[in-house]
Structure formats: structure tokens, C-alpha cells
């Protein structure tokens, strides 16, 4: 044991290892993390000082050693010594935490530690799990492997995780010092890419080399499809690069070889080519659509360039730059040029060429970028026939109303607001374009002049007197796109301004009765004054106008009363789920007076040979029209109704869990009676109805009821409809609207999956209006690619009806304009993997189907089959597409498109 008073290092190491084994035996148990700490207190009488000097190589350099009994002293005082030692070559720069469910075996001669059953080792950011893990300390190697049970099933397959990289292998050999390793039969995942390799070498945290590799986006152990290669390099979250590669389906290789493969698997934006799709049209010829290039210029700016090429000589060019600065602003510009070459039906030439274009710009400023200021732009300009010539897009083909807006707003201390804007709208059927530019609006919030600066206590009634201001200045030009010129724009330009000064007084209520007096003054500045003359020779009304500065004024005084009445019915029986129905009635009644300040610019003009006269407003067709003629002194009235129902909760019996349901959101009418009018004293009634039945069916309807009789030409007579012995009749309906929308769908088969998808949608960056419209157009054109098999069935119904009674352009009478349409779309699962759906637009007035699109979709696990058919529409078409679901390979598709006129 001793030799000349000296203890050898070999003996000391043996002693420490023996203590280590003893501690492991005492502390280790199934599933516990084993940490060994040896604490020694050695007196100077048992070990000479020379032995300590020979043991210095076992303690790391620059360590601090604290002994309870200092050397060279018999005293029990404490002293801290700092001793410098050399670091052993086989020492690690970080601790290892390890655990095992079965046992830990320490081989002293080889300095190897072996863990068995649910073995786990943690070193820095490396986490290794396996059935068996062996640590070779001299070489700093970790070796992990699995075993098979009696049923030949794998138990404890090695799995190593480092940062965001995960490897599953049959065997893992890893050098903890160099961070390199070799694995056999390895599986790893990077985003949507699954990589399998016969042998894989890890050279850094995120870089791997693979031999006999297979990569796919199918998550099955035996994937439906994959790409095979002998050599491959994988950079996690960035890219996969391979040598010669060939695809295989269901394990069967295809005789198609690609000299090399480059697969971007990183998130974010990356420049690259955009692959095309193929189309066939009887009018356009063979088509190559979507070919282009996406270029990332910097972190805030990128641009997309695409083109469509057709064999008959037509083409489309698309240029879409986009910019985004987080928390400041974002926008997108889209320019499209179309040279449409179609087969000619005239016989004069083989083709007919049409050149059209479209320009769209969308810009949004974050509200936090400039508090108190907002700026936004949504610009849409296009040729009249542009939408009609868009191929395979029924939504765009039937979009005839185009509008744009640009606006800037600034608020000062919440008291004043200035808005500067420009607006544009055009009708692609008539080609008429209207541009409102500039449009200025200034608003001052209501001020209370009688409220003292240092206000204390309840206000006096006169202190509630408030005065406001609203001012608008607008310019307008109107022209047809085929006649556009600067001279024509200037000739048709007109301007106008409007000032409104409301004065209000909030009086204290008289019990349940609210009293609201008010005074309003309005002033309008106009640029045109029209003259109307009956031309007896040509039997028509001639119209001319003079330019200048003209004014129109209006003053109104009002005193309004309002209240609310409630009634409930609760006698539904003990066994009824209905607890009660509450009816709320809100009647309004008021007096108003306004003098006739418009008499000077109204005149009666003969409009037909029969001798009918029409009261013409000489300030009509301006930006702001003149006010209504005649003095008004009378009453206005109205009634609004609301109906609610309370029901028992099906799941909770507590009183607070009862459910409330609105049966009628609003139903009522408004009207007025003018005592000062010499005729037609009772004004038409406005009737409305709003309801959300069963929280599913949205219904809204409005109508105007005229209580007067008409002659044979449709002109009003000063007789009520219930006079003259013709029976009781409330009046004639002159205009109205009806809108009904509803949607139904089944519950998700997997509610957890539906919640995750919703969270994923909510976490995405918000899209601009232009991006939303582009995505919506693509979805409408390719509905089969966006089906949700988690929803068994769904249905959406929308119906609209609009009608109005309007004077004919030649003043010979009135005509009824009516439009009615029905939109239906829905889908349902034929089987677990097949879904069928449709989308149709039906013109109820003409009893004709304007558009019909059907689709059939097949869920092929990692692939999807989509069939879209449009048998009815401006363009009839069908398409068949097979493509992977993964976004990485979304452009790897097989498609067949055909279009017919």
C-alpha cells in the first residue's frame, strides 16, 4: 500500500473509483438521475504533503480548494488555498447527466460506463435516448443501440436531439468533443421533409452527409413516394442537396433521373424560378401558365415576375413588387398586361387581338407608426374588357364594378379631424369612370360653450348645449374610358362643398320619456346650374347647364321624443324549454320645421305631349344636390320592435347558464306628415326588418311604401290608395331589398386538429386586401385544392332581391328595375377520402344559371387529386391536378387543363 512513505497515483485512482461505485450502488435506482459527489476530509497526519502535489493533475486548473483542516498546522482554523492544476486530456468541458431504468455498469480498467433500459444522457444541448448507451471516457465517445424482444420488436431505438435537429437510428456513435458522429439506418425530419439514410455522418449541429438516402414529404415508415439518391447533404432548416436522383412510388423506382437535386426546406423568403402549369383552350391554344421568377431584393422588398404564353400568339405579363416594414407599413403593387389573341369568327383574319391592362396598388400604415395619423390606399384600375378576358376565373368574369380609394387622416388632440382622400369607381359594362379627387373633410367635435373651464358637480341643463361642425369639399370628373383625354377630364370636372352645423341640447328625461331638441344649418356650394325647356317641335325636354359658383341653404328645427316599452310572456309550462319571450317597443315622435329656401331653383317643366309636368331641381347632377322643395312643418314618427327569447341550457341547470336568442333584431317603420304642404302631405313610409333566426339565418329587408294613387302613366295623384271606394290599400311599393344568407356545416371529426388549424391561421401575418382578393380568386377557380376532409359536409346559401321604380329617360312614365340572384355552394364527403362539391350562381329574374362549377377531390395521404369542372360560364373548362400536399413540393404537380368558349 505504501512505498517509502508515498502513495501511488494508481492506488489513489483505485480508491476514488471504489468510492464512486459505492455511491452509485447506494444512490442509483430505476428512472433516477445519478450524480456522484465525493467529499473528502483528510488530515495532514494521514497523507503527506508530497502526495497532494502528485495528485494535482486530477483537479482542473484555476480551481479553488477549501479544506476544513489546513496542512502544516495542528489547529482547527479554516483557510482557503488557490491551487493551479493542469487539465486532463480526457476531461469534458461540461457535466454529463445520465439515467437508466435498469442498471449502470462501470468498467474500471477501460473507464467505460454503460446504461441499460430507458437510458438517457444529456450533455450541453445534446439529449440522447436509447435502450443501451455506452460512454467511452478516454475517447469521449457515446455509443447508442437498441435490442429486440422475444417478438422481434425493437425496444429503445436510439434518438438524439440537438437544438432543433432530431435523429432516430439503429446505431449512433457520437464524439462529444468534436460534435461529430456516424449513424446507421437513420431517420430525421426538417420542416415537412423526411430524410432516411443507410449511413449518415453528422459534421456539425445542423449539417449532415448521407449515403444511400431517401427523402420524401410522406410521414409513413414506408412512404407512398420518395426520391432516391446515393449521396446527399442536408443543412437543417435550410436546404437539401443531392447527386443524381430518381423518384419512386410505392417502392417502385421510375426510370426518370435528374442529374442533381436542390430542395429548399427553410422557412421564409427565397429567390427562385416559379414553375409553370399547362393549359389547353380552343380559343387560346396550348398554354404555359405561371412561368416566372421570384426575387428577394432585401429584408423588406421582393418582386414576382410571371408570364402566360399561348400557342396562338397571346400572352400575359405580371409584375408584382411587394414591400413590408414591420410595425410601420406594408404594400403591394400589381401590374398586368394582356395581349389576348382569339380565333376570329368574322373570317376577315384568322385571329382577333385585344390589348388590356390592370393596375392595382394596396398600401397600409400601421396605426402605431404615427399615432394620430392614418394612411391607406386601395387602387384598382383596369381596361373595360380586362375581367372578361381572364381565363378560368368565373368570379373575375362577372365582376363589373371596380372601385379604388386613397385616404389620409390626422387628428389633433381628439378635437379636430382632417381627412384627405380620393375615390374612383368604374362600370366595366358601360365603360363609365367616376373619379372623386380631391375630397377633403374637416370635423370638429361637439363643443359646449356654456360649460365652465373648472367644472364641478352636475351640469345645468343649458350647459348641455352642444355645437359641431362638418365640412366637406369634393372634386368630381366623369368620362368613358374609350373617350379619355386630359381635355375631356377638365371639361367634365366639377366641384362642390358642404357645411353642416348641428346644434343639440340633451334635456333631462321626463320619467321614461327622452326629449331631444335640435337645430341644424346646412350650406352647399355647387358648380353647375341646369336649365330645362320643353321642345314642342321635337317633343322632348332639352337640357343645358351653366358653370359658376352657386349656393343652396337649409335650416331645420326639431323636437323629438322617445321611450321604450317592455312586455314579457312566460306561461309556457313547466316542461317547456322556453322560459319566456320579451317584446321591446321603441316608439319615436317629433316635431320639425324647415322654411322653404329651395324655391328659387325648382321649376315645373312639361315632360310629355299629354301635359304632365315634373318639378325639376336645377341643382341636380352636381356633387351635392339642392335641398328638397317646399316648407316642412309637421310631425315625424316611427316604431322599432325587438323580440327575444330565453331558453333553458341543455348542459347547465344554473340560472346564469340560460340562453338568450334574438328572434327579431329590428322591425319597424318611419314616416312623416307635412302640414304646410299644399299636396302630398303624407310622406312615403320606410319599412325595415332584420333578424338572425336560430343564430344561423341572416335576413334583412327594406321597402318604401307610397300611400298615393297613380295615373295610367305612373304619375302620382293627390289621393290616398284607400280612397275612392277601391278597397283598403296601404299603398304602392316603390322600392325594396331582400337579402338572406345562411351557412351550415357538420362538426369537425377531429376537433383538436380543427383548433390547431385555426391557431395556425390566426398566427399568420395579415394579408392586404389585394392579397386576399387574389387568394379568393384562386380558391374560387380551384376549389378542389382547398377542401377540408375534417368537415363532413357544408352548405352556404345566399339570396338577394333589389327592385326600384324609376322615371324613364324620356319622362313618358315609370319602369320597374328588378334584379334577383341565388348563390349556392357546398361540399360533402362521399367516403373518408373522396369529397364532392359545387358552386353556382343563378339569375332568378331571367331564370338562367349564369355560372356553375363542380369539383371532386381525393385525399391520397401525402398527395391530393383535384378535378375542377366548369360546364356553365363565360368560359367552360375542366382541369385535373395531382400534387403533393407539402408546401415544399407544391409546384411538383401533374395537371391537365382544357378551356372551351
Amino acid at each position: 500500500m505504501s512505498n517509502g512513505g508515498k502513495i501511488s497515483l494508481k492506488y489513489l485512482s483505485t480508491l476514488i473509483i471504489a468510492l464512486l461505485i459505492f455511491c452509485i450502488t447506494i444512490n442509483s435506482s430505476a428512472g433516477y438521475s445519478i450524480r456522484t459527489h465525493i467529499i473528502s476530509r483528510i488530515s495532514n497526519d494521514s497523507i503527506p504533503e508530497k502526495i497532494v502535489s502528485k495528485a494535482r493533475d486530477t483537479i482542473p486548473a484555476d480551481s479553488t480548494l477549501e479544506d476544513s483542516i489546513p496542512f502544516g498546522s495542528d489547529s482547527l482554523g479554516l483557510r482557503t488555498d488557490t491551487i493551479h492544476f493542469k487539465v486532463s486530456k480526457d476531461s469534458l468541458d461540461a457535466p454529463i447527466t445520465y439515467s437508466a431504468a435498469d442498471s449502470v455498469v462501470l468498467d474500471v480498467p477501460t473507464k467505460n460506463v454503460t446504461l441499460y433500459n430507458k437510458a438517457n444522457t444529456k450533455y450541453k444541448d445534446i439529449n440522447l435516448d436509447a435502450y443501451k448507451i455506452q460512454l467511452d471516457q478516454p475517447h469521449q465517445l457515446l455509443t447508442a443501440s437498441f435490442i429486440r424482444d422475444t417478438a422481434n420488436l425493437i425496444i429503445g431505438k436510439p434518438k438524439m436531439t440537438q437544438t432543433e435537429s432530431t435523429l432516430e437510428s439503429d446505431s449512433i456513435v457520437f464524439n462529444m468533443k468534436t460534435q461529430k458522429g456516424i449513424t446507421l439506418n437513420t431517420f430525421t425530419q426538417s420542416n415537412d421533409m423526411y430524410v432516411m439514410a443507410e449511413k449518415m455522418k453528422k459534421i456539425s449541429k445542423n449539417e449532415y452527409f448521407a449515403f444511400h438516402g431517401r427523402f420524401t414529404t410522406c410521414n409513413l415508415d414506408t412512404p407512398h413516394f420518395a426520391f432516391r439518391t446515393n449521396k446527399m447533404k442536408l443543412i437543417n432548416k435550410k436546404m437539401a442537396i443531392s447527386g443524381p436522383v430518381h423518384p419512386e412510388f410505392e417502392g417502385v423506382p421510375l426510370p426518370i433521373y435528374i442529374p442533381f437535386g436542390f430542395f429548399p426546406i427553410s422557412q421564409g423568403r427565397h429567390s427562385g424560378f416559379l414553375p409553370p402549369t399547362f393549359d389547353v383552350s380552343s380559343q387560346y391554344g396550348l398554354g404555359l401558365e405561371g412561368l416566372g421568377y421570384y426575387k428577394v431584393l432585401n429584408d423588406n422588398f421582393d418582386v414576382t415576375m410571371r408570364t402566360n404564353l399561348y400557342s396562338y400568339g397571346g400572352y400575359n405579363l405580371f409584375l408584382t413588387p411587394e414591400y413590408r416594414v414591420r410595425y410601420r407599413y406594408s404594400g403591394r403593387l400589381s401590374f398586368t398586361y394582356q395581349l389576348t389573341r382569339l380565333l376570329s369568327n368574322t373570317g376577315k383574319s384568322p385571329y382577333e387581338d385585344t390589348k388590356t391592362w390592370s393596375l392595382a396598388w394596396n398600401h397600409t400604415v400601421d396605426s402605431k407608426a404615427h399615432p394620430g395619423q392614418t394612411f391607406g390606399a386601395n387602387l384598382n384600375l383596369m381596361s373595360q374588357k380586362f375581367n372578361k378576358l381572364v381565363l378560368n376565373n368565373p368570379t373575375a368574369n362577372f365582376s363589373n364594378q371596380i372601385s379604388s380609394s386613397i385616404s389620409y387622416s390626422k387628428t389633433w388632440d381628439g378635437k379636430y379631424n382632417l381627412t384627405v382622400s380620393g375615390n374612383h369607381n368604374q362600370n366595366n359594362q358601360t365603360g363609365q369612370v367616376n373619379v372623386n379627387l380631391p375630397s377633403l373633410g374637416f370635423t370638429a367635435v361637439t363643443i359646449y360653450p356654456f360649460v365652465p373651464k373648472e367644472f364641478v358637480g352636475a351640469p345645468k341643463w343649458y350647459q348641455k348645449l352642444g355645437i359641431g361642425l362638418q365640412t366637406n369639399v369634393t372634386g368630381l370628373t366623369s368620362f368613358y374610358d374609350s373617350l379619355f383625354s386630359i381635355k375631356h377630364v377638365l371639361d367634365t370636372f366639377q366641384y362642390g362643398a358642404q357645411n353642416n352645423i348641428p346644434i343639440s341640447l340633451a334635456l333631462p328625461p321626463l320619467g321614461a320619456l327622452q326629449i331631444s331638441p335640435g337645430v341644424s344649418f346646412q350650406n352647399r356650394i355647387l358648380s353647375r346650374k341646369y336649365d330645362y325647356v320643353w321642345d314642342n317641335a321635337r317633343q322632348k325636354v332639352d337640357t343645358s347647364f351653366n358653370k359658376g359658383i352657386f349656393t343652396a341653404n337649409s335650416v331645420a328645427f326639431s323636437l323629438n321624443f322617445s321611450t321604450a316599452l317592455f312586455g314579457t310572456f312566460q306561461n309556457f309550462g313547466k316542461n317547456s324549454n322556453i322560459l319566456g319571450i320579451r317584446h321591446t317597443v321603441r316608439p319615436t315622435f317629433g316635431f320639425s320645421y324647415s322654411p322653404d329656401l329651395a324655391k328659387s331653383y325648382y321649376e315645373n317643366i312639361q315632360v310629355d305631349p299629354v301635359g304632365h309636368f315634373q318639378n325639376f331641381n336645377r341643382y341636380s347632377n352636381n356633387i351635392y344636390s339642392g335641398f328638397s322643395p317646399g316648407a316642412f312643418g309637421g310631425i315625424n314618427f316611427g316604431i322599432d320592435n325587438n323580440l327575444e327569447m330565453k331558453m333553458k341550457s341543455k348542459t347547465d341547470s344554473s340560472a346564469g347558464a340560460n340562453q338568450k336568442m334574438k328572434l327579431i333584431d329590428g322591425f319597424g317603420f318611419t314616416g312623416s306628415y307635412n302640414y304646410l304642404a299644399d299636396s302630398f302631405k303624407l310622406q312615403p313610409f320606410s319599412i325595415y326588418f332584420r333578424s338572425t333566426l336560430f343564430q344561423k339565418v341572416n335576413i334583412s329587408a327594406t321597402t318604401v311604401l307610397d300611400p298615393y294613387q297613380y295615373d295610367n302613366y305612373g304619375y302620382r295623384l293627390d289621393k290616398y290608395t284607400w280612397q275612392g271606394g277601391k278597397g283598403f290599400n296601404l299603398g304602392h311599393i316603390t322600392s325594396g331589398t331582400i337579402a338572406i344568407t345562411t351557412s351550415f356545416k357538420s362538426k369537425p371529426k377531429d376537433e383538436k386538429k380543427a383548433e390547431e388549424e385555426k391557431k395556425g391561421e390566426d398566427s399568420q401575418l395579415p394579408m392586404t386586401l389585394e392579397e386576399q382578393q387574389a387568394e379568393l380568386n384562386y380558391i374560387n377557380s380551384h376549389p378542389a385544392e382547398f377542401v377540408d376532409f375534417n368537415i363532413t359536409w357544408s352548405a352556404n346559401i345566399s339570396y338577394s332581391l333589389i327592385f326600384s321604380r324609376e322615371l324613364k329617360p324620356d319622362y313618358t312614365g315609370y319602369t320597374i328595375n328588378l334584379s334577383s340572384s341565388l348563390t349556392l355552394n357546398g361540399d360533402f364527403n362521399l367516403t373518408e377520402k373522396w369529397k364532392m362539391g359545387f358552386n353556382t350562381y343563378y339569375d332568378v329574374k331571367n331564370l338562367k344559371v349564369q355560372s356553375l362549377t363542380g369539383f371532386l377531390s381525393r385525399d391520397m395521404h401525402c398527395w391530393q387529386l383535384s378535378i375542377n369542372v366548369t360546364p356553365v360560364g363565360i368560359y367552360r373548362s375542366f382541369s385535373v391536378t395531382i400534387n403533393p400536399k407539402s408546401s415544399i413540393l407544391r409546384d411538383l404537380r401533374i395537371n391537365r387543363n382544357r378551356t372551351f368558349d
Side-chain angles (χ1 to χ4, degrees), residues 513 561-565 584-589 637-641:
L513 191 65
F561 304 88
S562 63
T563 187
L565 307 175
T584 304
V585 182
R586 292 183 174 86
T588 59
F589 181 82
F637 49 86
I639 296 178
D640 180 68
N641 296 267

Side-chain angles (χ1 to χ4, degrees), residues 29 42 52 128 216 294 301 432 450 530 645 662 692 717 722 730 764 792 812:
S29 61
I42 306 174
V52 178
L128 178 62
T216 179
Y294 174 73
F301 193 77
Q432 186 174 8
F450 299 109
Y530 288 82
M645 180 172 62
K662 287 187 177 182
T692 305
L717 301 175
W722 54 83
L730 286 177
Q764 293 179 354
T792 305
T812 57

Side-chain angles (χ1 to χ4, degrees), residues 594-612:
S594 61
D596 185 7
L597 302 181
K599 183 177 180 180
S600 60
Y601 50 85
Y602 275 89
E603 60 179 338
N604 284 322
I605 303 296
Q606 183 179 345
V607 296
D608 60 15
V610 180
H612 287 111

Side-chain angles (χ1 to χ4, degrees), residues 9 23 119 245 255 293 341 448 460 549 707 748 751 839 845 880:
L9 288 176
C23 293
V245 61
Y293 188 79
R341 177 168 289 181
Y448 298 91
K460 305 294 184 179
I549 299 178
E751 294 188 1
N839 188 350
K845 176 184 177 181
V880 180

